[in-house]
Amino acid sequence: MELRQLRYFVEVAEREHVSEAAVHLHIAQSAVSRQISKLEDELGVLLFEKTGRNIQLTPIGKIFLTHAKTAIQAIEYAKYQIEEFLDPEHGTIKIGFPTSLSTHLLPTVISAFKDEQPNIGFHLRQGSYSSLKEAVKNREIGLAFLGPIPINDPDIEGHILFTENISALLPITHPLAERKSLRLSDLRNDPFVLFPKGYILHSIAIEACKAAGFAPNITSEGEDMDSIKGLVSAGIGVSLLPDSTFYEVTPRLTVKIPIDTPEVKRTVGIITPKNRELAPSEELFYQFAKKFFSVLEQYQ
């Protein structure tokens, strides 16, 4: 069994068409068909069956596709680690991040790291909480910033960089806008603007309101931080957002007010895989980030 056979197989499986796969692979259709036949002969099973002009995977072909993708990813990651080992200061670090950490935390730590390691590049990937965890597990990225840090995940190692408060964001015209702090229950009758269900900040807000003795009346939703802040600025409702998302600037026509009861916080840190070692350049960045934020904590 050869790596190219696996690559051809995956390409055909995803396109369900041999000639289209051949065009994408820049090789002759006959070469693709020949390698697929050799693979089937070696395995002793049919991986595809004809459906009109196209083909589709057989039931055993679908199972093999999952393993073929895993094998290709493992080999690619092994090649990447070897390249990194030979030249760790000229590698590329694949990092994931959520929208809530994109405006200040991510550019700050990357900029500081590049001052020390200017030849290391970055491939950055924004994603949801769950998608970033899966990407780390599946070797799609090496590590990810996340908040809160997941616990009790057998495949994820989490290191907390800092803990931050969740504050209320109110329209400047709100009756409580002049308050220095508030109880979350003070907002029980307000319309809420939150991230959609499935986002971790949605869950944090729901749990906080539950702890305060009420279920929030969610009247509007936004899928990014700017949308949430914009809706609050327009007077559509109130929201709960992490303090790091307000770094130095509170959105126009809004006020940020600390919540004293209940105390609402989240951890922020880096997740790495438990089942494999980081590549050398990734390890350099990982250690740098831990030191960088520990120094910041000392001066705060």
Side-chain angles (χ1 to χ4, degrees):
M1 189 179 300
E2 301 177 9
L3 180 59
R4 65 171 174 168
Q5 292 175 334
L6 296 180
R7 293 190 189 281
Y8 293 177
F9 164 71
V10 170
E11 196 66 39
V12 173
E14 291 183 340
R15 295 179 183 276
E16 296 186 337
H17 206 284
V18 176
S19 60
E20 289 183 8
V23 170
H24 184 77
L25 292 166
H26 304 293
I27 57 175
Q29 179 178 335
S30 59
V32 176
S33 298
R34 185 165 55 252
Q35 293 302 323
I36 294 295
S37 294
K38 286 184 177 180
L39 184 60
E40 289 180 323
D41 289 343
E42 182 176 346
L43 294 172
V45 296
L46 289 176
L47 299 172
F48 296 99
E49 56 189 2
K50 289 185 177 180
T51 55
R53 294 185 176 181
N54 290 5
I55 59 174
Q56 66 180 18
L57 288 167
T58 60
I60 193 64
K62 292 179 180 178
I63 293 173
F64 186 69
L65 176 61
T66 300
H67 294 292
K69 285 183 174 180
T70 300
I72 291 172
Q73 283 183 335
I75 292 170
E76 289 295 331
Y77 188 75
K79 289 169 59 180
Y80 165 69
Q81 282 196 309
I82 291 171
E83 292 170 357
E84 291 279 291
F85 178 79
L86 294 173
D87 193 2
E89 295 186 357
H90 287 79
T92 298
I93 305 172
K94 296 181 180 180
I95 297 179
F97 66 97
T99 181
S100 65
L101 300 176
S102 63
T103 56
H104 176 63
L105 179 145
L106 191 70
T108 299
V109 67
I110 287 180
S111 177
F113 180 76
K114 287 190 73 65
D115 286 341
E116 292 191 8
Q117 301 288 347
N119 295 319
I120 293 181
F122 287 89
H123 178 88
L124 303 177
R125 171 173 170 177
Q126 183 174 331
S128 67
Y129 190 83
S130 58
S131 70
L132 291 176
K133 289 199 300 181
E134 290 304 308
V136 169
K137 292 178 184 180
N138 296 331
R139 295 189 174 95
E140 296 169 23
I141 55 178
L143 59 161
F145 287 99
L146 216 57
I149 290 296
I151 56 175
N152 300 326
D153 189 316
D155 300 316
I156 293 291
E157 186 76 46
H159 178 82
I160 297 173
L161 298 174
F162 61 90
T163 301
E164 65 175 338
N165 291 319
I166 306 290
S167 294
L169 185 66
L170 278 57
I172 201 167
T173 56
H174 194 281
L176 302 179
E178 299 296 326
R179 296 271 291 272
K180 299 298 182 183
S181 65
L182 52 79
R183 294 171 298 177
L184 187 51
S185 59
D186 294 336
L187 303 177
R188 66 169 58 247
N189 296 321
D190 283 272
F192 273 74
V193 179
L194 297 179
F195 282 88
K197 189 175 181 180
Y199 283 69
I200 192 64
L201 288 177
H202 176 97
S203 300
I204 289 174
I206 295 297
E207 289 302 313
C209 292
K210 182 179 178 181
F214 71 99
N217 175 26
I218 306 169
T219 59
S220 300
E221 295 179 338
E223 293 191 354
D224 59 69
M225 203 61 64
D226 288 340
S227 297
I228 299 287
K229 293 176 179 177
L231 290 170
V232 176
S233 297
I236 301 300
V238 302
S239 192
L240 301 178
L241 297 174
D243 282 359
S244 62
T245 65
F246 301 109
Y247 184 74
E248 292 185 348
V249 178
T250 300
R252 180 172 169 269
L253 301 178
T254 67
V255 291
K256 178 178 77 77
I257 303 179
I259 299 168
D260 53 28
T261 306
E263 191 175 53
V264 188
K265 295 178 177 290
R266 75 163 179 176
T267 56
V268 176
I270 296 179
I271 61 169
T272 57
K274 277 186 178 178
N275 57 353
R276 70 178 188 276
E277 294 183 359
L278 295 177
S281 59
E282 293 170 344
E283 183 66 29
L284 279 175
F285 179 80
Y286 179 58
Q287 296 301 331
F288 175 87
K290 291 197 293 185
K291 182 179 178 181
F292 181 81
F293 283 97
S294 67
V295 171
L296 284 184
E297 287 283 299
Q298 293 174 15
Y299 288 96
Q300 290 179 353

